[in-house]
Amino acid sequence: MTGMSTATAASPDGTWPTSSPGDGSPSAPCRAALPVLMYHSIGDSVSADFRRWEVPAGVFAEQLGSLVEHGYTVTSLSDALANPRERQVAVTFDDGFEDFVTRALPVLAEFGAAATLYVPTAYVGQRARWLEAYAERELALLDWPTLAALADRGIEIGAHGHRHVELDVVPPAIARYDVTASMRTIAEETGHRPDSFCYPFGYHSPGVRQIVESAGFGSACEVGYRIHRRSRSRFQVSRLIVGRSVGAADILRLVTEGHRDAALAARRRLRAGWRAYRSIRWRLGVETA
């Protein structure tokens, strides 16, 4: 079972039909597309290399404010998948940096927005040591009591793997352990069983998707660089990278048109070759360790 239903067909004029009363389906119109926004850190780093993954708090507020002003409902990913609405955007945060509480959460609360926060469970309460190439590897991550409190107040806590490894190139046994350990740890530490998974680095394969689904997750997201289509698998939810240069008008274009950068589209086409390179690199690393 893929857990994904086919989107309702559009009428000839391109509009999406409203469900009739009493038919058991949502009363609001259902969109075939779901924009899912991807954030990492809300801050202003001194590291130039990491700045593409950061959005200053003021810019984040401008982005959310623009969406809400134009009638969008901003929700967690699992809520968006389970309860389709006509004007809906899902917001996700990767890694579980402390600035989610200090900078992102107040903005979310201001606009009545929800979000999904993905955490690599082996690093919770520690530092982002998998970011070896960045000075931000010393950034502090949220601890379990804080994550449990966030879950209690309605923030969805999702799994970002256990050790933040490239799941599509490691042996299946390692991938399976990493996925199941992340689910088990979140459930034990927060009291909430996670429903959503986020592939570390966005990397996945058919085998990895099967492992995630078999572990009991209801969805999983990649990067994708495009708007998610509800007709696609829930285990290949595409997301849109939101940068610091995205203003009020830009965010509206992003959630309706997706990324228009040709380089991002090219990255999707080069995935197979990039995976082969990463697989060789991982094997060489194991052999020489």
Side-chain angles (χ1 to χ4, degrees):
M1 178 177 179
T2 63
M4 187 64 211
S5 59
T6 304
T8 306
S11 62
D13 65 358
T15 61
W16 296 96
T18 303
S19 305
S20 58
D23 64 359
S25 54
S27 59
C30 297
R31 292 186 59 177
L34 173 63
V36 182
L37 304 181
M38 184 182 78
Y39 294 91
H40 283 76
S41 174
I42 301 299
D44 200 8
S45 175
V46 296
S47 171
D49 291 337
F50 194 73
R51 286 170 69 86
R52 68 173 297 217
W53 304 114
E54 288 184 316
V55 174
V59 176
F60 182 51
E62 182 182 358
Q63 294 166 353
L64 282 195
S66 180
L67 291 170
V68 172
E69 179 184 351
H70 287 82
Y72 284 92
T73 301
V74 182
T75 71
S76 68
L77 179 59
S78 290
D79 182 33
L81 291 173
N83 303 292
R85 301 175 180 89
E86 177 63 20
R87 295 175 74 80
Q88 183 177 43
V89 173
V91 170
T92 65
F93 283 82
D94 291 7
D95 299 333
F97 294 116
E98 280 190 346
D99 59 43
F100 178 83
V101 166
T102 58
R103 298 189 181 119
L105 193 60
V107 177
L108 291 167
E110 177 184 353
F111 293 104
T116 300
L117 177 64
Y118 293 108
V119 298
T121 50
Y123 294 98
V124 167
Q126 302 180 40
R127 305 285 172 175
R129 296 296 168 81
W130 70 89
L131 295 173
E132 296 178 2
Y134 299 97
E136 283 71 19
R137 63 183 175 274
E138 295 300 325
L139 283 176
L141 304 178
L142 295 169
D143 59 20
W144 286 117
T146 303
L147 291 171
L150 288 171
D152 287 341
R153 65 180 291 178
I155 296 296
E156 179 181 20
I157 306 301
H160 201 21
H162 187 56
R163 294 163 297 184
H164 207 289
V165 298
E166 299 177 7
L167 295 173
D168 61 333
V169 299
V170 300
I174 293 179
R176 188 173 298 106
Y177 168 79
D178 214 81
V179 170
T180 55
S182 67
M183 169 176 273
R184 181 181 64 254
T185 306
I186 290 174
E188 291 174 351
E189 296 288 349
T190 69
H192 296 266
R193 181 178 180 273
D195 186 63
S196 189
F197 188 88
C198 176
Y199 303 112
F201 305 104
Y203 300 147
H204 59 93
S205 64
V208 171
R209 294 193 295 272
Q210 182 59 49
I211 288 172
V212 171
E213 184 173 7
S214 297
F217 288 98
S219 68
C221 56
E222 56 180 9
V223 181
Y225 308 104
R226 57 188 170 190
I227 294 173
H228 178 64
R229 309 298 298 183
R230 292 187 183 273
S231 56
R232 297 191 77 211
S233 168
R234 286 194 180 204
F235 295 91
Q236 288 180 273
V237 177
S238 295
R239 296 186 293 172
L240 302 163
I241 298 176
V242 186
R244 61 179 52 237
S245 64
V246 176
D250 302 317
I251 197 71
L252 296 175
R253 282 193 295 270
L254 184 63
V255 299
T256 54
E257 302 175 17
H259 290 299
R260 295 184 291 178
D261 189 336
L264 295 179
R267 290 187 69 168
R268 289 198 298 268
R269 294 192 293 270
L270 296 173
R271 281 177 178 171
W274 176 238
R275 179 182 298 150
Y277 165 77
R278 290 186 295 104
S279 180
I280 293 170
R281 184 188 62 187
W282 185 85
R283 288 171 183 155
L284 289 174
V286 170
E287 291 171 1
T288 57

